[in-house]
Amino acid sequence: MILEGRMSQLNLLHSIPELRQKLFGRFWNPMLVTVIAGVLSSLYFGVTGTFWAVTGEFTRLAGHAMSWVGIDPHKLTYIEQIMHLEGSPVDRIDGWVVIGMFLGALMSVLLAGQFKLRLPKQKRRLVQGLIGGIVAGFGARLAMGCNLASFFTGIPQFSFHAWLFMLGMAGGTYIGVKLVLHPLLLGKPKLEKAAPGPRSFISSTPKIQPWLGLVVLVAAIVFVAVQIAGGHAKLGLAGLFGIAFGLLIQRGQICFTSAFRDLWITGRSSMAKALSVGIIAATLCTAVIISLGVPQKIMWASPGALIGGLLFGIGIVVAGGCETGWMYRAMEGQLQFVVVGIGNIIGAGVLAWGWDHWGLYDKLVAGSPKINLVSQWGWTGAILATLGLMLAFYAFASLWEKRVRYMAKRKGQAVLMKAGVGRKEMA
């Protein structure tokens, strides 16, 4: 019996690396990840009464930073009346979901053995990341949400402002691509010889990173359990959802920047199509939760939503990552994206200041309606319109990919024909 017990323990120890290899040996299918994230975001909405978002908490962090330098954030309408600045991040649902996202992404990185501190070879990328982060943070808060609150979870809320944001973001990313491909920002590429052999994320030799990943997992579970045991169930559950979101975005490499940027540069549509399917899943689940009595989050369908989306799109491409993208990349050790995150917080703070002092509310938001598609078109119309929008986006991404590939093929054939003519003339 003792021998059998020891044998079972050895088998368990041998199975752990195999399980880790299966789960973290490669990135997960982005289509599956976005569907799971869409369903979880709907459940998060049902449990907490708010949607999955991050830049609102970044704006509150900007408010805390203002108080450190002698500015009273409670005198700013945006921070006091819209963001409701109270307590610290550990006292807020949004604070816990952000903390959880960082922990979940870090845990995923460590379990995969992928953590490595890295600085961009071109140091000006740090400046570019900061500027892009500021523009993106400003635009996100002008539109009342980033790629999450005004797109991935905003559209399933049936808020028309999210449609305007999506249109602006698509145009902004296109402009952003034109900017980053300009020789001034593109720089001179440095070619390096690739390492031989197949690419593998996980080494077969034991390393400390997976053990640190387990430590992060245990610590995160303890934090969540303490909150729930202390009578703060919503905070604990927000942290738990955040861990799941962080794990998903890192394993699926979910970045809204790459979804649009890849379309405009290479025509690659896999991430864009994955997002459209994820939003469809979120829409269907959110509709059920709203029908059960959880109130929707409807924002102003204003010029600010469109312009904010445009600025956000430009900013995320210039910075190299959106809100979800920079969060998991920073946890991978890419220090450039820590700078992008700082820029997001600064940009959100600038918007909060300009809301009153520059009259941004009066010029771009005031008088605009909050359009609830369910109220306007009924449940059937709202659901069909939303699903139609996402299916149209899916079809556009597919057709755009075929177009880019066709144009590239035609261009390649033209180059070959021209080279052939040249050789014939030389002969």
Side-chain angles (χ1 to χ4, degrees):
M1 294 293 292
I2 296 176
L3 181 59
E4 290 179 359
R6 290 181 178 177
M7 289 297 294
S8 63
Q9 290 176 358
L10 288 174
N11 290 333
L12 178 61
L13 290 174
H14 284 301
S15 66
I16 291 176
E18 294 178 4
L19 178 62
R20 175 171 158 261
Q21 180 68 40
K22 289 180 180 179
L23 291 177
F24 298 96
R26 62 190 65 179
F27 290 126
W28 297 349
N29 185 298
M31 188 80 72
L32 177 61
V33 167
T34 55
V35 169
I36 295 173
V39 173
L40 284 180
S41 68
S42 302
L43 294 175
Y44 175 76
F45 166 61
V47 169
T48 65
T50 188
F51 44 61
W52 178 23
V54 294
T55 53
E57 188 60 22
F58 294 164
T59 310
R60 298 184 189 97
L61 292 177
H64 291 311
M66 289 178 186
S67 65
W68 300 339
V69 295
I71 300 174
D72 186 358
H74 296 287
K75 292 182 179 180
L76 300 178
T77 302
Y78 196 95
I79 291 180
E80 179 66 12
Q81 297 183 15
I82 297 178
M83 291 293 98
H84 305 293
L85 179 63
E86 295 177 0
S88 68
V90 296
D91 301 315
R92 301 186 288 257
I93 290 176
D94 286 353
W96 269 99
V97 79
V98 169
I99 293 170
M101 287 175 69
F102 280 122
L103 290 174
L106 179 60
M107 177 192 69
S108 175
V109 170
L110 292 172
L111 288 174
Q114 290 176 272
F115 181 84
K116 182 180 179 182
L117 289 176
R118 284 159 285 181
L119 277 170
K121 292 182 179 179
Q122 296 176 319
K123 298 303 183 289
R124 58 192 177 83
R125 298 295 184 197
L126 297 173
V127 177
Q128 186 176 326
L130 180 64
I131 294 173
I134 292 173
V135 174
F138 183 94
R141 294 322 309 168
L142 178 60
M144 305 306 296
C146 62
N147 48 288
L148 292 177
S150 286
F151 182 53
F152 193 78
T153 60
I155 289 177
Q157 290 284 329
F158 304 103
S159 178
F160 186 67
H161 94 284
W163 291 39
L164 297 177
F165 177 86
M166 177 182 173
L167 180 62
M169 180 172 61
T173 53
Y174 185 83
I175 295 172
V177 164
K178 296 299 182 182
L179 289 174
V180 297
L181 291 181
H182 190 279
L184 187 63
L185 292 180
L186 190 61
K188 296 181 180 179
K190 183 179 179 181
L191 301 179
E192 293 182 352
K193 187 177 180 180
R199 184 182 179 188
S200 176
F201 292 140
I202 297 182
S203 171
S204 59
T205 58
K207 291 185 177 181
I208 193 173
Q209 286 195 28
W211 297 107
L212 292 177
L214 290 175
V215 170
V216 173
L217 174 60
V218 171
I221 293 174
V222 169
F223 291 153
V224 169
V226 168
Q227 289 297 320
I228 295 176
H232 305 291
K234 282 191 176 181
L235 296 181
L237 290 173
L240 191 61
F241 274 102
I243 293 169
F245 291 141
L247 173 67
L248 288 170
I249 63 174
Q250 200 282 324
R251 283 293 88 206
Q253 297 287 284
I254 304 302
C255 181
F256 295 73
T257 306
S258 63
F260 287 90
R261 182 185 59 204
D262 291 353
L263 269 180
W264 307 139
I265 296 179
T266 65
R268 185 171 179 267
S269 64
S270 58
M271 187 61 69
K273 290 190 289 188
L275 290 176
S276 65
V277 173
I279 291 175
I280 288 174
T283 298
L284 296 175
C285 294
T286 302
V288 173
I289 291 171
I290 293 171
S291 68
L292 294 175
V294 181
Q296 297 161 261
K297 302 293 182 181
I298 307 298
M299 299 300 177
W300 294 284
S302 67
L306 184 64
I307 296 172
L310 184 75
L311 292 174
F312 179 79
I314 294 172
I316 61 176
V317 174
V318 171
C322 62
E323 268 58 16
T324 56
W326 78 254
M327 289 176 76
Y328 75 74
R329 290 189 178 107
M331 293 299 95
E332 292 173 354
Q334 300 185 52
L335 298 180
Q336 173 185 353
F337 293 99
V338 176
V339 175
V340 175
I342 294 171
N344 278 172
I345 295 172
I346 294 173
V350 171
L351 183 280
W353 175 269
W355 194 256
D356 296 324
H357 292 80
W358 300 336
L360 294 178
Y361 172 76
D362 294 331
K363 295 173 182 176
L364 299 176
V365 179
S368 299
K370 292 185 176 182
I371 301 178
N372 184 339
L373 297 182
V374 176
S375 300
Q376 294 291 319
W377 299 337
W379 274 112
T380 301
I383 291 174
L384 290 179
T386 303
L387 297 186
L389 174 68
M390 288 298 100
L391 290 174
F393 179 46
Y394 187 102
F396 168 78
S398 299
L399 292 173
W400 186 268
E401 182 175 36
K402 292 179 180 178
R403 175 185 179 275
V404 172
R405 288 181 176 179
Y406 174 76
M407 295 299 291
K409 184 178 180 180
R410 288 286 301 272
K411 185 177 180 180
Q413 290 175 344
V415 171
L416 289 175
M417 290 178 64
K418 185 176 180 180
V421 171
R423 287 194 296 270
K424 184 176 180 181
E425 290 176 349
M426 290 177 64

